[in-house]
Amino acid sequence: MRLGSGTFAACCVVIQVLGVALFLRGFFPAPIRSSSRTEHQAEPPAPEPSAGDRSNWTKLPPPLFRKVVIMLIDGLRDDFVFGCVWGVKFMPYTTYLVEKGASHSFVAEAKLPTVTMPRIKAMMTGSLPGFIDVVRNLNSPALVEDNVITQAKAAGKRIIFYGDETWVKLFPKHFVEYDGTTSFFVSDYTEVDNNVTRHLDKVLKRGDWDVLILHYLGLDHIGHVSGPSSPLIGHKLREMDSVLMKIHTSLLSEERDTLVPNLLVLCGDHGMSEAGGHGASSMEELNTALILISSAFERKPGDIRRPKHVQQTDLAATLAIGLGLPIPGNSVGSLLFPTVEGRPVREQLRFLHLNAVQLSKLLQENVPSYTKEPGFEQFKMSERLHGNWIRLYLEENNSEVLFNLGAKVRRQYLEALRTLSLSLSRQVAQYDIYSMLVGTVMVLEVLVLLLLSMPQALSNKAELEVPLWSPVFSLLFYLVFLVLSALHVIVCTSAESSCYFCGLSWLTAGGVMALISALLCAVVSALAKVFADGRLLRKNPAHPKARWSELDVLILLGTLGHVLSLGASSFIEEEHQTWYFLVNTLCLALCHELYKNCFLSDDCEPQPCSHVEQGLVSSEPALWDRNIHCNVSKPHRVSKSPTSLDTLRGYEKWMVLASPWVILTCCRLLRSLNQTGVQWAHRPDLGHWLTSSDHKAELSVLAALSLFVIFVLVQRRCSLTSKVAMALGLLGVYCYRAAIGNVLFPWQRDSKDISKPHNLPVLVLSLLIQTLMTKFIWKPLRHDAAEITIMHYWFGQAFFYFQGNSNNIATVDVSAGFVGLDTYMEVPAAFLTAFATFAGPVLWASHLVSFLSSETRRGPAAKRSLHRPEGLLTRWPCPVLSQEAPSGSTCGSALSHACFCYALTCSFPVSAYIILVTSLRHHLFIWSVFSPKLLYEGMHVLITAAICVFFTAMDQTNTKS
């Protein structure tokens, strides 16, 4: 079956998307789980240890607090509460409680990924969610894992919730009353919190609830849109401080009537980076404030309590003890001991023992050699000492020996809890190796098939033969399919742990096996054809080896160097530097080529291959038609024509000579706009200066000027109707930004509002660079389609980072997903966010389609330059069209060649990176550095598949027209 190069490449990338998706499903594993609890039915609590049989405390201790209020402020990093923001404490009442009030303060360290849904799960279950939850954060499924909320409901507690609707999705039918707000509509930072606060006056006066949960989103939304340096941060912190004072005052007044203490918990789910986002591993994103406020935590005069560093997962065990509930079975956290240090010693030891028993059981179920773990040995020692203490206590021995032994048991338990928690945190997950292997095989098969198909796919016909129906192919296919099916049965029946691929239906798994078998057979067939063609070419010495230009060597070494750099965590964190270096070097290489052709050569036109003329007049022209699939039945002489550089005069020639330096200047300006990466991300840049509310007038002028330049650069290729429509559209963009407070009209007064549309210059300079390269570099130098495609790919990757993106989840600008939306709509928001994030590669790919289509329509002369045989990926004999060749010649579509080259160039890094992360899956930085990059690569492959489909569709349209 014959397929066009573009169609073949698009199909290959779509298959690669499936392989990457399967690999991701296996690589991001499910966390450890306890098998001792089913459907949240708790086991009977462990009895109190005793050296004899006289202790009868076999039930859970009673609740420590009558009511619990959890006030969660999204994005509340620790320095917002414990430090100063610009030298000002914006939460005075909270600061008073921390420094002098009845409270215990902590800096709670969140684990990756630092996004809302996984952090809620961590606080309520005590477990460490998997990194894949960063994707599930967009649409949270119901939580089936053992957790505090479910235990509280089972115990008859009445729970009320107001705030982020993520809680409603995680805990459906758990709340007796709730009002959810959309968490992803980040442009709203006022109403989203007012919808929570408006319920407080009524609910605080009622006595028909036991747990009240409030999740405020406004602070996080301000961070996303304006960053932590916005004046709005201070206003929001003051608002939250007043809300906390209202809740605390109400709880204190209620305690005067009941004489039973209540608990108020102020916490954050994650922090906020200096850019305003979250999701990564910087200290600003990991460290959150956690304050426990209760009249039970009496403080003596002069008692200074500094915030202690704890784990965010410790909150689950603490809440369970405080409410008199079983600790969630999957919790890896430890009880925050300061909350119970005012209780009698026997109760303290009982609480610590329950926590240690729960952790030791979890360790036994997930670590085969648990008896050799230091934490387990410490637990057993603590339990024995605890039994001795109980024996002395029941003997009514109140001597100093009892006191000292109790202090020793307490210290031993706390050390055991710390060690057990650390051991479990290291064993949080198991990889699904089988699913990873199947996905890797699919991705590598596609890469090898693309490499072996290059001679046919990049020939002048732009077609290749895919042997789907030959007898040999069918026999090999069935043999491979049977072997793979047998292996699948063996693996799935002998696997001890859960496997996603084994959990698929037999029909689905069989389809995947058939696809792998077909790909393997296609690879074998392509490999055999390459060897056959090689033998034929060796018999004909009339064709010398093609010469590689300096630009070709640079492109090849640059592409391979980037792939190799992915093996180092520092290069991944600072990948933008790699692309900046490559595009700058490319500009210098193009400058060298331009100057050489203009000043050092009598004939500036790239020299045609001498072997082409020789081959066309040889005695075996049919050989080339049979093996290289080029139509040479009627050979044409290659005649030289005046080069484009020779025809340039005056300012055009000077523009050709100056264009590389102009492009380098634009790239340098773009680097100053957005600092990205890790090492220098904290440094101020032009973007921070523009987004400051003090410079809104300057931003407004820059935005208006950018929109005008965009119109000037684009309107040259538009009809009158299109020009009018584009002008109105750009005017609408400015009006929309002015309406939401980003920029100003001349007659408006300045306001301290959110301001962040500073990336318009990125689009302007992108269009300018494309215009310069099209008119003054690619056309004069007559690069072939392969070289032009790879140059577009390089610039697209560089502009991905010029936008301010990085390989860090925190740099994803979710506010871009809500442009033009007044409510949250999942599909449009996800599409807009993805498009905004990958706007650079998409816009450069779109320009590639436009450029190649326009060159194709220009006629044979343009086609000849796009199909030059001495190009980067066409190093084999193949004739070019002469000037006399008809426009309908069989030298196929440049778009097909571009689609194939684009697919091949994108396949290299993702294939290599999958192998790298598999080998580095136990690396120290696997979750903080390598895993986010893997998600970006997966999304990039999906974008590439869409681009290749677009290439193919445009190619078909041009062919028909």
Side-chain angles (χ1 to χ4, degrees):
M1 181 175 70
R2 299 193 67 82
L3 291 176
S5 300
T7 304
F8 175 76
C11 294
C12 286
V13 179
V14 170
I15 296 174
Q16 203 165 46
V17 169
L18 298 177
V20 171
L22 187 57
F23 178 87
L24 290 176
R25 184 59 181 82
F27 181 82
F28 294 110
I32 59 173
R33 294 289 182 261
S34 172
S35 59
S36 61
R37 299 186 185 181
T38 306
E39 297 181 357
H40 310 298
Q41 296 298 318
E43 289 184 328
E48 187 179 45
S50 175
D53 297 326
R54 284 173 282 185
S55 175
N56 58 357
W57 196 354
T58 59
K59 297 182 179 180
L60 285 172
L64 301 180
F65 308 103
R66 180 173 177 267
K67 286 185 176 182
V68 174
V69 178
I70 301 174
M71 182 179 174
L72 192 156
I73 302 177
D74 210 294
L76 185 68
R77 70 187 198 188
D78 61 323
D79 59 333
F80 285 172
V81 179
F82 305 132
C84 297
V85 183
W86 317 298
V88 180
K89 291 184 178 293
F90 288 104
M91 304 184 75
Y93 187 77
T94 305
T95 301
Y96 168 77
L97 292 176
V98 169
E99 296 178 351
K100 300 179 180 180
S103 66
H104 290 292
S105 304
F106 307 93
V107 176
E109 180 185 346
K111 298 295 185 182
L112 289 170
T114 49
V115 292
T116 297
M117 190 271 282
R119 305 281 39 95
I120 295 175
K121 290 174 62 176
M123 289 187 288
M124 295 298 106
T125 66
S127 63
L128 298 177
F131 196 90
I132 196 61
D133 282 324
V134 73
V135 178
R136 295 175 181 169
N137 185 62
L138 299 174
N139 188 15
S140 309
L143 183 62
V144 297
E145 187 178 351
D146 191 13
N147 60 83
V148 174
I149 301 296
T150 303
Q151 292 288 356
K153 182 189 176 185
K157 306 285 186 183
R158 295 174 60 83
I159 311 171
I160 296 178
F161 169 76
Y162 304 119
D164 185 357
E165 63 181 5
T166 303
W167 290 78
V168 181
K169 296 178 180 179
L170 286 173
F171 308 106
K173 302 179 181 179
H174 285 65
F175 307 119
V176 296
E177 182 181 319
Y178 65 89
D179 185 9
T181 57
T182 300
S183 59
F184 295 106
F185 192 60
V186 296
S187 299
D188 173 25
Y189 57 89
T190 303
E191 293 299 324
V192 72
D193 286 346
N194 292 341
N195 286 335
V196 178
T197 306
R198 65 189 177 94
H199 297 283
L200 284 181
D201 290 333
K202 293 182 179 179
V203 75
L204 290 176
K205 295 177 182 178
R206 292 158 43 187
D208 59 345
W209 56 270
D210 302 293
V211 180
L212 173 64
I213 303 174
L214 310 171
H215 189 149
Y216 285 93
L217 292 163
L219 183 70
D220 179 69
H221 287 187
I222 293 173
H224 278 297
V225 178
S226 191
S229 300
S230 170
L232 296 172
I233 293 288
H235 297 307
K236 181 58 66 174
L237 291 176
R238 287 194 186 97
E239 177 189 340
M240 296 294 99
D241 190 60
S242 63
V243 171
L244 184 133
M245 182 172 65
K246 176 187 291 189
I247 298 172
H248 188 225
T249 304
S250 175
L251 293 178
L252 288 178
S253 62
E254 184 177 317
E255 287 181 8
R256 297 189 188 101
D257 301 328
T258 61
L259 301 179
V260 179
N262 298 319
L263 175 65
L264 172 58
V265 179
L266 175 66
C267 61
D269 54 347
H270 51 73
M272 184 185 299
S273 69
E274 290 302 321
H278 54 89
S281 57
S282 67
M283 297 304 295
E284 293 81 7
E285 297 164 81
L286 294 178
N287 289 341
T288 65
L290 173 60
I291 306 175
L292 306 180
I293 306 168
S294 175
S295 59
F297 309 146
E298 290 295 339
R299 179 181 297 191
K300 298 178 182 179
D303 183 7
I304 300 176
R305 299 175 180 175
R306 301 187 182 278
K308 301 177 181 178
H309 282 261
V310 297
Q311 297 298 315
Q312 193 179 56
T313 50
D314 296 340
L315 183 60
T318 305
L319 288 176
I321 295 295
L323 290 169
L325 304 172
I327 299 175
N330 300 320
S331 173
V332 298
S334 303
L335 170 68
L336 297 175
F337 185 73
T339 60
V340 298
E341 63 183 358
R343 309 296 296 183
V345 177
R346 186 180 185 186
E347 291 186 22
Q348 294 180 21
L349 298 183
R350 176 64 169 153
F351 297 142
L352 294 173
H353 177 250
L354 289 173
N355 195 182
V357 169
Q358 176 264 322
L359 289 177
S360 65
K361 286 185 177 180
L362 191 62
L363 186 74
Q364 294 177 45
E365 295 172 359
N366 291 276
V367 179
S369 58
Y370 65 91
T371 56
K372 299 179 182 179
E373 292 287 333
F376 188 80
E377 296 175 357
Q378 292 173 350
F379 161 67
K380 287 300 183 182
M381 175 64 70
S382 304
E383 200 171 38
R384 286 193 294 271
L385 291 175
H386 190 184
N388 293 334
W389 186 91
I390 291 295
R391 179 175 55 80
L392 291 175
Y393 176 82
L394 294 177
E395 292 175 356
E396 300 182 358
N397 189 336
N398 295 322
S399 64
E400 186 178 352
V401 175
L402 182 65
F403 176 81
N404 292 335
L405 182 58
K408 181 179 180 180
V409 175
R410 183 170 58 237
R411 288 194 302 268
Q412 190 76 18
Y413 266 133
L414 290 174
E415 182 63 23
L417 290 175
R418 187 190 67 81
T419 310
L420 284 170
S421 180
L422 183 61
S423 299
L424 287 167
S425 298
R426 293 172 177 170
Q427 304 284 339
V428 292
Q430 297 177 349
Y431 294 97
D432 184 357
I433 298 296
Y434 184 45
S435 298
M436 292 169 57
L437 179 62
V438 174
T440 303
V441 169
M442 294 176 66
V443 171
L444 293 181
E445 283 182 332
V446 168
L447 176 63
V448 174
L449 185 59
L450 288 171
L451 288 172
L452 295 176
S453 302
M454 282 170 51
Q456 295 183 73
L458 295 177
S459 65
N460 285 345
K461 285 188 175 181
E463 293 180 348
L464 67 162
E465 184 70 30
V466 181
L468 290 179
W469 313 116
S470 65
V472 175
F473 177 87
S474 300
L475 178 59
L476 181 60
F477 169 80
Y478 286 118
L479 289 175
V480 174
F481 179 74
L482 289 175
V483 171
L484 292 179
S485 299
L487 290 175
H488 179 69
V489 172
I490 294 173
V491 171
C492 293
T493 54
S494 60
E496 297 181 357
S497 58
S498 61
C499 173
Y500 172 76
F501 191 62
C502 291
L504 297 176
S505 66
W506 283 103
L507 182 62
T508 304
V512 174
M513 293 299 173
L515 181 60
I516 294 176
S517 303
L519 287 173
L520 181 61
C521 295
V523 167
V524 172
S525 176
L527 188 62
K529 185 171 183 58
V530 168
F531 281 120
D533 291 345
R535 288 196 300 268
L536 289 174
L537 290 175
R538 283 194 295 270
K539 293 179 181 179
N540 189 349
H543 299 274
K545 293 182 179 180
R547 293 171 297 176
W548 287 69
S549 69
E550 296 172 354
L551 181 64
D552 297 338
V553 173
L554 169 64
I555 289 176
L556 180 62
L557 293 180
T559 302
L560 294 178
H562 166 253
V563 171
L564 294 176
S565 71
L566 298 178
S569 60
S570 297
F571 277 94
I572 293 177
E573 291 178 333
E574 308 296 329
E575 187 181 358
H576 60 287
Q577 302 286 8
T578 302
W579 288 112
Y580 295 167
F581 172 78
L582 289 178
V583 295
N584 289 342
T585 308
L586 176 63
C587 289
L588 292 176
L590 292 173
C591 180
H592 174 262
E593 187 175 356
L594 282 170
Y595 282 34
K596 182 178 67 175
N597 285 345
C598 286
F599 299 120
L600 301 180
S601 176
D602 295 333
D603 188 355
C604 296
E605 182 181 18
Q607 297 297 317
C609 293
S610 60
H611 65 263
V612 174
E613 269 189 282
Q614 298 171 2
L616 293 177
V617 297
S618 64
S619 59
E620 295 180 343
L623 178 65
W624 306 111
D625 182 53
R626 182 169 61 253
N627 296 305
I628 309 299
H629 300 286
C630 292
N631 186 7
V632 295
S633 57
K634 185 178 180 180
H636 299 279
R637 288 281 181 181
V638 178
S639 58
K640 294 183 180 180
S641 60
T643 177
S644 299
L645 290 175
D646 289 339
T647 62
L648 296 176
R649 293 293 181 268
Y651 86 97
E652 289 187 343
K653 193 163 188 177
W654 285 110
M655 283 300 300
V656 168
L657 298 178
S659 56
W661 303 105
V662 176
I663 294 171
L664 282 171
T665 304
C666 293
C667 292
R668 186 63 189 90
L669 291 174
L670 288 169
R671 292 183 64 174
S672 302
L673 185 62
N674 293 304
Q675 290 284 1
T676 185
V678 174
Q679 297 296 328
W680 296 279
H682 63 283
R683 293 186 177 181
D685 51 33
L686 185 58
H688 284 91
W689 186 84
L690 288 171
T691 55
S692 171
S693 58
D694 297 329
H695 304 110
K696 184 172 289 187
E698 292 86 346
L699 178 64
S700 302
V701 173
L702 180 62
L705 182 61
S706 298
L707 292 172
F708 175 75
V709 175
I710 291 172
F711 176 80
V712 172
L713 291 174
V714 178
Q715 57 86 27
R716 296 177 298 106
R717 300 186 296 270
C718 299
S719 63
L720 178 60
T721 304
S722 299
K723 291 179 182 179
V724 174
M726 183 174 63
L728 293 176
L730 294 175
L731 180 61
V733 170
Y734 192 90
C735 292
Y736 169 79
R737 289 295 180 181
I740 63 176
N742 292 161
V743 295
L744 298 171
F745 283 119
W747 57 85
Q748 282 183 313
R749 295 181 59 186
D750 196 0
S751 61
K752 304 296 183 181
D753 208 339
I754 289 178
S755 180
K756 206 176 178 179
H758 69 285
N759 264 348
L760 273 174
V762 178
L763 177 58
V764 172
L765 295 181
S766 174
L767 294 173
L768 179 60
I769 292 174
Q770 291 171 357
T771 302
L772 291 175
M773 297 197 74
T774 298
K775 188 172 183 179
F776 301 114
I777 295 181
W778 290 326
K779 289 183 180 179
L781 292 179
R782 296 183 179 179
H783 292 112
D784 62 17
E787 292 170 338
I788 293 173
T789 299
I790 297 177
M791 282 189 255
H792 274 82
Y793 177 82
W794 279 22
F795 272 97
Q797 291 300 105
F799 270 85
F800 173 82
Y801 295 102
F802 284 145
Q803 294 174 243
N805 293 317
S806 70
N807 291 322
N808 190 324
I809 301 296
T811 56
V812 176
D813 184 11
V814 296
S815 64
F818 303 93
V819 174
L821 301 179
D822 56 358
T823 59
Y824 174 65
M825 292 183 285
E826 183 175 343
V827 175
F831 174 79
L832 289 174
T833 302
F835 180 81
T837 303
F838 290 90
V842 171
L843 290 177
W844 277 87
S846 301
H847 180 266
L848 176 61
V849 174
S850 174
F851 173 75
L852 294 180
S853 299
S854 63
E855 288 298 288
T856 303
R857 288 192 293 269
R858 287 176 56 211
K863 290 182 182 179
R864 181 176 64 254
S865 66
L866 293 177
H867 294 282
R868 284 194 299 117
E870 64 270 21
L872 173 65
L873 297 178
T874 52
R875 300 297 178 192
W876 46 83
C878 187
V880 293
L881 290 175
S882 69
Q883 285 185 311
E884 295 79 12
S887 60
S889 175
T890 57
C891 288
S893 170
L895 278 175
S896 293
H897 287 175
C899 181
F900 186 88
C901 293
Y902 201 92
L904 181 59
T905 307
C906 294
S907 297
F908 269 113
V910 69
S911 303
Y913 195 70
I914 280 178
I915 297 175
L916 285 172
V917 295
T918 302
S919 60
L920 297 174
R921 63 186 182 275
H922 300 298
H923 194 278
L924 178 63
F925 300 139
I926 187 63
W927 301 118
S928 59
V929 177
F930 293 98
S931 294
K933 172 62 176 175
L934 183 59
L935 290 178
Y936 274 107
E937 285 295 331
M939 192 64 193
H940 190 205
V941 171
L942 182 61
I943 297 292
T944 301
I947 290 173
C948 289
V949 171
F950 176 63
F951 270 72
T952 305
M954 291 299 298
D955 186 28
Q956 297 295 328
T957 301
N958 292 341
T959 301
K960 292 180 180 178
S961 61

